[in-house]
Amino acid sequence: MQVGIDQIGFYTPNKYVDMVDLAHARNQDPNKFLIGIGQSKMSVADQTQDAVSMGINATMRYIDEIDREKVGLLVIGTESGVDQSKSASLFVKSALELAPEVRTFEIKEACFGMSAGIMIARDYVRLHPHHSAIVIGSDIARYGLNTGGEVTQGAGSVSMLIKAEPRILALKNGHSAYSADINDFWRPNDSAVALVNGKYSTEVYLDFFKRTFTNYQAQNDCQTADFAALIYHLPFVKMGFKANQLAIEKQEQETAERLANNFTASAQYSREIGNIYTASLYLSLLSLLENGNLAPEALVGLFSYGSGAMGEFYAGQVMEGYQNALDFDGDQEMIARRQKVSVSEYEQIFTQALELPQDNFELESDEETGYWYFAGTKDHVRQYKQK
Ligand code: HMG
């Protein structure tokens, strides 16, 4: 029995900042952001979008196409959690009208959270082949205005249905994990923005990639040339580009070109959206599937990295006809519908979103009809509404 990804839903908020505008406002050469970092735009979440509402919106993209009764597990990976105790997934479960029998919880390990959820879901479906699992990654990356990390912010969510005999990607057995207790990026309980040792974080990322990719090949008796594509957690496009350069540096021209071209395809959406932490690797996967060149059974290698730090490499095989299970037009429209905001508007939105509105004040959303949003708190209980 094959187990893997059967549905992918993607959501990003309806506003963005252009990186050329941001570069001018920060007295930087635009090419530093466009080429040096590799980002063109970044999605901006206002006060009405959070990890819960974005996770609901991503899953709404496919929920009516699946059998809700068969969903036995709902996991959300996030580092933008909305409560110190209650799982974000319970709000999501309620909005999606899943059965009360569903097992549901939230996972945290920086950007690794969604990958952890996928591994749990894979094993769950293997034991319960008649059930499926929804795994969501949903995050808003916030470093702060005028910080070195500002250009690597973003917001969005990816949701996936994991089931037996999947239509998109069959997850292979085996993985290679590596962890270390380090401080490259973290967010203390009393801070709405992340703290980061930026240069150090990029060194650890590359080190973990080399270790896990090398170990995976040794443990699974395969080599770089066997992969049709290698995709990465993309905090910014240049980061994955550097990892991919390490992977292809000693390869023959054909392999190097194939992996370079498919890397470019996998980075197309992240370049427009920015870092969405837990869901970033899966936005790379969606971008590869919709913009790359993959034959049936093509082998795709996935590198997941979460600061703190946890790295894991695993692989999947593309299913024949996978294109029919995707919503290419819907994803293009999701990205294109965003309205550009000026840097000063972004600064205002950013600052406002760091604070909760006053209790019992109802927030209005400027999203399109049908999308869910955070409507403020009522007697300190978070309210989610559908527009
Ligand atoms: P910085 O100091 O602003 O940038 O920090 P820089 O001076 O290093 O320049 C960046 C690149 O632009 C360099 O290229 C420059 O040469 C180039 P590189 O040497 O890297 O190839 N450059 C130019 N290129 C063309 N034209 C120009 C020009 N000027 C310069 N005119 C940094 C950059 C990424 C460190 C910062 O933005 C940051 O701290 N970001 C946040 C941390 C981060 O994303 N780390 C990534 C690894 S950790 C991770 O992935 C986990 C994470 O997602 C969190 C989680 O797990 O939860 C972050």
Side-chain angles (χ1 to χ4, degrees):
M1 178 184 69
Q2 290 189 311
V3 173
I5 302 167
D6 189 71
Q7 292 270 6
I8 306 181
F10 155 60
Y11 172 81
T12 193
N14 62 357
K15 303 175 187 66
Y16 76 89
V17 179
D18 192 282
M19 288 302 111
V20 174
D21 294 351
L22 188 67
H24 287 142
R26 302 295 179 246
N27 291 319
Q28 298 281 342
D29 179 345
N31 281 338
K32 176 177 175 185
F33 289 2
L34 296 173
I35 300 166
I37 297 287
Q39 296 301 125
S40 309
K41 293 175 183 163
M42 98 191 164
S43 285
V44 175
D46 66 24
Q47 228 181 353
T48 66
Q49 288 298 331
D50 64 15
V52 170
S53 59
M54 294 192 302
I56 298 170
N57 288 329
T59 315
M60 292 295 284
R61 294 279 306 277
Y62 64 79
I63 193 73
D64 289 337
E65 294 168 30
I66 71 169
D67 186 347
R68 281 176 166 82
E69 293 300 312
K70 288 201 170 151
V71 179
L73 179 70
L74 168 69
V75 185
I76 185 162
T78 183
E79 50 186 296
S80 325
V82 298
D83 193 283
Q84 293 282 28
S85 170
K86 180 174 172 178
S87 167
S89 67
L90 282 157
F91 297 101
V92 175
K93 185 213 125 192
S94 171
L96 299 177
E97 298 174 8
L98 296 180
E101 289 77 17
V102 71
R103 177 188 290 158
T104 184
F105 52 91
E106 177 177 322
I107 294 183
K108 180 175 67 182
E109 182 2 63
C111 300
F112 180 68
M114 185 170 181
S115 299
I118 288 166
M119 291 298 141
I120 291 170
R122 182 184 72 176
D123 297 347
Y124 170 84
V125 174
R126 280 185 182 151
L127 265 179
H128 306 90
H130 300 297
H131 284 122
S132 60
I134 292 176
V135 183
I136 299 170
S138 189
D139 273 304
I140 302 171
R142 289 192 177 107
Y143 292 90
L145 305 177
N146 281 295
T147 60
E150 184 178 28
V151 61
T152 64
Q153 298 177 138
S157 175
V158 174
S159 171
M160 307 200 306
L161 184 77
I162 308 294
K163 67 182 276 294
E165 310 310 344
R167 294 174 306 156
I168 299 177
L169 192 80
L171 300 173
K172 288 184 77 73
N173 289 338
H175 71 278
S176 165
Y178 190 83
S179 61
D181 174 8
I182 58 149
N183 300 299
D184 59 332
F185 165 108
W186 66 105
R187 184 163 72 81
N189 281 345
D190 59 356
S191 176
V193 293
L195 306 181
V196 62
N197 289 324
K199 296 276 155 52
Y200 175 55
S201 72
T202 63
E203 285 164 22
V204 181
Y205 175 112
L206 293 175
D207 177 51
F208 276 35
F209 169 65
K210 276 190 283 191
R211 287 174 190 274
T212 56
F213 187 40
T214 307
N215 287 343
Y216 182 89
Q217 291 176 73
Q219 288 162 10
N220 293 278
D221 195 22
C222 63
Q223 45 196 329
T224 307
D226 295 332
F227 289 91
L230 294 171
I231 59 171
Y232 304 85
H233 163 55
L234 289 181
F236 51 96
V237 170
K238 183 70 160 294
M239 186 76 254
F241 176 81
K242 285 184 181 177
N244 203 52
Q245 289 301 107
L246 289 176
I248 66 179
E249 63 189 354
K250 294 190 181 122
Q251 297 303 309
E252 287 179 0
Q253 196 182 353
E254 193 193 334
T255 302
E257 275 179 18
R258 181 179 70 247
L259 295 179
N261 289 340
N262 275 332
F263 171 74
T264 303
S266 76
Q268 214 166 299
Y269 292 165
S270 290
R271 190 180 288 280
E272 299 276 311
I273 306 292
N275 193 356
I276 54 172
Y277 288 159
T278 47
S280 159
L281 170 61
Y282 302 97
L283 187 60
S284 303
L285 175 64
L286 184 64
S287 187
L288 171 71
L289 293 166
E290 295 190 352
N291 305 298
N293 183 10
L294 298 170
E297 295 190 23
L299 186 63
V300 177
L302 299 91
F303 173 62
S304 182
Y305 178 81
S307 285
M310 175 73 219
E312 186 157 326
F313 187 94
Y314 69 102
Q317 258 176 316
V318 172
M319 304 302 292
E320 185 161 8
Y322 68 92
Q323 296 92 339
N324 301 329
L326 301 169
D327 181 9
F328 177 77
D329 292 345
D331 293 329
Q332 299 298 314
E333 168 57 20
M334 175 63 66
I335 295 172
R337 86 197 159 96
R338 295 173 303 164
Q339 299 289 316
K340 177 172 158 170
V341 292
S342 67
V343 173
S344 61
E345 286 167 329
Y346 142 71
E347 290 176 342
Q348 216 179 354
I349 293 167
F350 184 95
T351 307
Q352 191 182 37
L354 294 180
E355 303 286 337
L356 267 182
Q358 206 182 357
D359 193 29
N360 293 317
F361 177 82
E362 182 163 346
L363 294 175
E364 306 259 322
S365 163
D366 63 2
E367 258 294 5
E368 290 166 25
T369 308
Y371 286 112
W372 285 73
Y373 65 99
F374 169 57
T377 59
K378 205 169 176 184
D379 299 333
H380 303 285
V381 175
R382 294 180 84 87
Q383 307 295 314
Y384 290 94
K385 294 198 168 171
Q386 188 173 24
K387 189 148 177 192

